[in-house]
C-alpha cells in the first residue's frame, strides 16, 4: 500500500476500536495498533460514515500514549499491525529549567524545526537522556505547540534524529549509554550521529575515484618541511584544526618567492579582528603564531585561487538532505564572500552571505555554476554515506570554485550551521532543509519495519 496520511480523531465510544475510512482498501487483516515502540491489540472496523479520518477509541489512545495532534499523520501497515506516526525523537543536550526557553538559546532553532511537523505528517519532539524513563519505556518529551512549549509523555520513538550541539556533549558517558541502549536494545534507527573529522573524511573520500578530483591535497601536520613542500607547490596553504568548526583556528600561510618572506593571515579571537603578519622564516612564523598549540591536531591543505568579488574570495555553502524516499536532494545553496582581510568567509570573521543571483549577473554562468555545485554535492553526499558509519541524512558542504571553473571540496559538516538562512532570499530553503531533515524519518520508519537488517548492519 502506498504511504498515506490521515487525520486522527479520538472517540469516547467503542472501547478498544479503531475505525478506518471506507476508501482505505486493505489487502490484509489488522489486529494490532502501534505508536512509537508501543503495540497493543485492537479491533478494526470501517467508519460508519463517509469520514476520511481514522478514529481511535479514547482508551486505546491513552494506552499508546498518543498526544492528540491536529494535522494528518502517516500510517504504515505491516505484519497485521497499523502504525501511526512516525514519532520522531530529536535528541540533544543543554536543557534549562525555564519553561519559555527549555533548551536555552537554541530553543528558537528547535521550535522552528518542530513547526514543520504538519507539512511532514510526523510527530516530532525534543528530549535528552534525563527525560527517559527506562522502567516505563516512555519519555517526557518537549513539544512545541501553538501556545508554546509543553511536556508530554510519549513512548520511545520510531526514529531518533541526533542534534547534540558539540563534540563535548557527544563524548559524555550518559549520552553514549542512552544512544547505545536505544539503538541496541530497542532497535531504534538513529540518524546523523557524530561530528566529522576533517582528516578522516578526506582519507575516506580519497579512496573514491569518482570524487577524488574534488579534493585539494590535504595531510596531517608532520613537520615544517612538509609545509615547505606544499608551499613550494601551491604558494599558499591553510592550516586548520582537524575537529574545528565555524572557521575557528584557520590560518592561511603565503610564501612570497620573490622576496623570500612568509605571511600568515588569521583571525585574532581576543582582539576580534583579522590580522596579516610577515615573517622572514617559516620557523619564526610557526613559533610565533602557533605557540602553545597542539600541531598534531592540525591539518595542512592546499590553497586554491578562488573566484573573487571585488577582490574578496568566494566559497559556497551547499546543504543536502535525504527525503522521505531515502534519496539525496540539494536543499540550499548560497555564496559566502570573505570579509576584508579575512582568512575565511564566515560571517563572524566579517564575511557576508549572498545569493547566486547577486554573485553571477549572467544567467547562463549562474546556471552553469549551480549545476556544478549540485553535481559535486550529490556525488559527495553519496560517497560520505557509503563510507561513514551510521545513518547520514544531512550534510552542509563548504565548496570552492577556482578561477578556471573547477569545483573543490573543503569541508563537510554533519551538523551544519544555518547562517546562510539569514539572507532574505534563503527563507524557502530554510523551510525545505528543516522539512526534509524530519521527512527522512518516514523512510526510516518504513525500513525499520520491512528491512531492519539493512539499517542495523
Amino acid at each position: 500500500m502506498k504511504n498515506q496520511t490521515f487525520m486522527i480523531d479520538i472517540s469516547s465510544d467503542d472501547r478498544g476500536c479503531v475505525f478506518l475510512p471506507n476508501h482505505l482498501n486493505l489487502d490484509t487483516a489488522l489486529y494490532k495498533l502501534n505508536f512509537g515502540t508501543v503495540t497493543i491489540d485492537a479491533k478494526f472496523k470501517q467508519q460508519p460514515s463517509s469520514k476520511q479520518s481514522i478514529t481511535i477509541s479514547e482508551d486505546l489512545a491513552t494506552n499508546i500514549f498518543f498526544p492528540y495532534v491536529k494535522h494528518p499523520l502517516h500510517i504504515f501497515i505491516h505484519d497485521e499491525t497499523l502504525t501511526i506516526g512516525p514519532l520522531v525523537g530529536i535528541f540533544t543536550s543543554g536543557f534549562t529549567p525555564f519553561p519559555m526557553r527549555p533548551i536555552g538559546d537554541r530553543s528558537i532553532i528547535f521550535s522552528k524545526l518542530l513547526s514543520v511537523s504538519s507539512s511532514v505528517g510526523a510527530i516530532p519532539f525534543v528530549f535528552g537522556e534525563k527525560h527517559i524513563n527506562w522502567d516505563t519505556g516512555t519519555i517526557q518529551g518537549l513539544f512545541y505547540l501553538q501556545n508554546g512549549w509543553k511536556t508530554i509523555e510519549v513512548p520511545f520513538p520510531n526514529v531518533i534524529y541526533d542534534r547534540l550541539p558539540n563534540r563535548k556533549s557527544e563524548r559524555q558517558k550518559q549520552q553514549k549509554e542512552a544512544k547505545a541502549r536505544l539503538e541496541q536494545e530497542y532497535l531504534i534507527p538513529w540518524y546523523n550521529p557524530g561530528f566529522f573529522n576533517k582528516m578522516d573524511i578526506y582519507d575516506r573520500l580519497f579512496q573514491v575515484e569518482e570524487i577524488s578530483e574534488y579534493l585539494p591535497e590535504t595531510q596531517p601536520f608532520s613537520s615544517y618541511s612538509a609545509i615547505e613542500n606544499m608551499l613550494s607547490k601551491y604558494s599558499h596553504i591553510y592550516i586548520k584544526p582537524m575537529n574545528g568548526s565555524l572557521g575557528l583556528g584557520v590560518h592561511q600561510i603565503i610564501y612570497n618567492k620573490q622576496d623570500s618572506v612568509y605571511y600568515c593571515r588569521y583571525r585574532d579571537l581576543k582582539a576580534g579582528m583579522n590580522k596579516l603578519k610577515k615573517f622572514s622564516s617559516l620557523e619564526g612564523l610557526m613559533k610565533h603564531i602557533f605557540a602553545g598549540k597542539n600541531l598534531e591536531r592540525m591539518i595542512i591543505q592546499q590553497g586554491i585561487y578562488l573566484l573573487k568579488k571585488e577582490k574578496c574570495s568566494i566559497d559556497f555553502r551547499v546543504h543536502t538532505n535525504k527525503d522521505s524516499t531515502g534519496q539525496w536532494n540539494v536543499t540550499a545553496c548560497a555564496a559566502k564572500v570573505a570579509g576584508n582581510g579575512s582568512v575565511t568567509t564566515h560571517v563572524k570573521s566579517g564575511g557576508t552571505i549572498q545569493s547566486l543571483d547577486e554573485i553571477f549577473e549572467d544567467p547562463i554562468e549562474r546556471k552553469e555554476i549551480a549545476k556544478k555545485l549540485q553535481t559535486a554535492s550529490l556525488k559527495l553526499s553519496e560517497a560520505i554515506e557509503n563510507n561513514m558509519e551510521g545513518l547520514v541524512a544531512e550534510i552542509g558542504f563548504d565548496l570552492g570554485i577556482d578561477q578556471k571553473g573547477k569545483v573543490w571540496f573543503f569541508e563537510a559538516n554533519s551538523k551544519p550551521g544555518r547562517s546562510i538562512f539569514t539572507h532574505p532570499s534563503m527563507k524557502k530553503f530554510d523551510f525545505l532543509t528543516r522539512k526534509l531533515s524530519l521527512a527522512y524519518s518516514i523512510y526510516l520508519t518504513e525500513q525499520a519495519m520491512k528491512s531492519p537488517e539493512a539499517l542495523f548492519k
Side-chain angles (χ1 to χ4, degrees):
M1 186 192 78
K2 189 178 182 298
N3 207 264
Q4 299 180 54
T5 60
F6 295 88
M7 289 296 297
I8 310 297
D9 299 325
I10 310 297
S11 168
S12 55
D13 302 326
D14 296 288
R15 285 178 61 82
C17 286
V18 178
F19 290 91
L20 304 175
N22 291 312
H23 76 276
L24 187 58
N25 298 314
L26 303 177
D27 54 9
T28 179
L30 294 173
Y31 301 100
K32 294 181 184 295
L33 176 65
N34 168 263
F35 179 63
T37 51
V38 173
T39 301
I40 58 174
D41 293 331
K43 290 175 283 192
F44 290 83
K45 300 179 179 181
Q46 296 295 128
Q47 286 281 22
S49 64
S50 58
K51 283 178 72 172
Q52 301 300 301
S53 60
I54 292 174
T55 302
I56 304 174
S57 62
E58 198 169 21
D59 62 309
L60 288 180
T62 300
N63 290 337
I64 62 172
F65 298 92
F66 183 77
Y68 182 57
V69 292
K70 298 178 181 178
H71 63 258
L73 296 173
H74 287 265
I75 65 164
F76 308 86
I77 294 171
H78 180 69
D79 200 19
E80 301 178 335
T81 302
L82 176 78
T83 295
I84 298 169
L87 181 63
V88 186
I90 301 169
F91 188 74
T92 193
S93 63
F95 294 94
T96 76
F98 308 114
M100 302 280 284
R101 296 171 68 220
I103 321 153
D105 292 341
R106 294 181 300 135
S107 298
I108 292 176
I109 293 171
F110 283 107
S111 67
K112 289 177 76 175
L113 178 58
L114 297 183
S115 70
V116 302
S117 57
S118 58
S119 67
V120 174
I123 305 181
F125 66 92
V126 180
F127 78 109
E129 174 272 331
K130 69 175 191 174
H131 300 109
I132 302 170
N133 187 327
W134 296 105
D135 294 332
T136 60
T138 59
I139 294 171
Q140 295 295 325
L142 284 165
F143 287 75
Y144 190 74
L145 308 174
Q146 284 182 321
N147 55 353
W149 290 97
K150 186 177 180 182
T151 300
I152 302 173
E153 186 177 20
V154 288
F156 289 173
N158 297 101
V159 298
I160 295 173
Y161 174 26
D162 189 320
R163 287 299 298 263
L164 286 171
N166 49 50
R167 289 177 173 85
K168 184 180 178 182
S169 64
E170 187 180 60
R171 286 194 295 265
Q172 290 175 353
K173 184 182 177 185
Q174 62 268 34
Q175 316 287 17
K176 290 163 80 171
E177 287 178 351
K179 178 179 184 289
R181 284 191 73 177
L182 290 166
E183 272 193 306
Q184 294 165 20
E185 293 179 29
Y186 296 87
L187 293 181
I188 299 174
W190 188 293
Y191 65 101
N192 265 41
F195 290 83
F196 295 153
N197 171 293
K198 292 183 181 68
M199 200 64 234
D200 180 48
I201 283 277
Y202 179 87
D203 287 341
R204 293 177 190 233
L205 294 184
F206 190 70
Q207 310 301 319
V208 185
E209 188 176 342
E210 190 182 11
I211 59 157
S212 58
E213 62 174 299
Y214 298 124
L215 307 181
E217 184 178 348
T218 304
Q219 55 183 267
F221 173 83
S222 57
S223 64
Y224 292 171
S225 62
I227 296 176
E228 290 278 23
N229 288 338
M230 284 186 72
L231 282 171
S232 68
K233 273 200 272 187
Y234 307 115
S235 75
H236 74 113
I237 61 161
Y238 290 90
I239 298 182
K240 306 176 179 182
M242 276 186 194
N243 293 316
S245 61
L246 302 174
L248 300 176
V250 176
H251 295 72
Q252 181 189 29
I253 297 177
I254 305 157
Y255 177 57
N256 183 317
K257 206 170 187 178
Q258 192 172 347
D259 300 332
S260 294
V261 292
Y262 298 82
Y263 294 91
C264 184
R265 193 187 301 278
Y266 64 101
R267 179 78 173 174
D268 187 326
L269 297 177
K270 287 182 181 177
M273 59 191 294
N274 300 318
K275 289 191 173 180
L276 178 67
K277 289 194 172 183
K278 180 180 174 182
F279 297 87
S280 59
S281 70
L282 178 65
E283 190 173 350
L285 182 157
M286 297 299 291
K287 285 182 176 176
H288 179 82
I289 298 293
F290 293 92
K293 292 186 171 67
N294 186 351
L295 289 171
E296 290 181 359
R297 294 183 181 174
M298 300 284 190
I299 62 169
I300 309 165
Q301 193 168 78
Q302 167 189 349
I304 307 293
Y305 290 97
L306 295 172
L307 292 178
K308 292 180 182 286
K309 181 177 182 181
E310 296 169 0
K311 298 184 179 178
C312 293
S313 295
I314 303 165
D315 67 15
F316 303 89
R317 166 52 65 92
V318 184
H319 282 241
T320 60
N321 292 81
K322 280 194 152 192
D323 60 20
S324 60
T325 66
Q327 300 300 307
W328 283 105
N329 297 255
V330 171
T331 46
C333 179
K336 298 184 295 174
V337 183
N340 189 29
S342 176
V343 67
T344 74
T345 58
H346 288 82
V347 173
K348 288 188 176 180
S349 297
T352 56
I353 309 297
Q354 296 192 25
S355 66
L356 296 192
D357 290 11
E358 291 171 308
I359 298 291
F360 305 104
E361 293 181 7
D362 180 352
I364 295 173
E365 182 186 17
R366 188 192 316 139
K367 189 175 180 181
E368 184 183 328
I369 294 289
K371 181 67 177 172
K372 283 183 178 181
L373 292 169
Q374 179 179 17
T375 300
S377 300
L378 292 175
K379 283 184 180 180
L380 286 160
S381 296
E382 289 183 8
I384 288 173
E385 178 194 6
N386 293 336
N387 290 278
M388 297 296 290
E389 293 77 23
L391 299 166
V392 182
E394 172 183 41
I395 308 173
F397 289 103
D398 289 329
L399 304 176
I401 296 182
D402 67 21
Q403 292 168 13
K404 295 179 180 177
K406 177 175 163 56
V407 177
W408 293 92
F409 163 80
F410 296 140
E411 285 186 31
N413 304 278
S414 59
K415 308 278 197 297
R418 306 192 67 81
S419 62
I420 65 169
F421 300 114
T422 57
H423 192 283
S425 73
M426 298 300 291
K427 192 172 181 180
K428 64 181 178 181
F429 303 109
D430 179 18
F431 178 83
L432 181 60
T433 57
R434 285 185 277 121
K435 179 181 176 181
L436 289 199
S437 67
L438 292 182
Y440 180 59
S441 67
I442 297 160
Y443 171 79
L444 279 187
T445 300
E446 207 159 25
Q447 285 292 105
M449 290 175 192
K450 297 178 179 177
S451 307
E453 68 284 350
L455 298 180
F456 301 101
K457 54 189 177 184

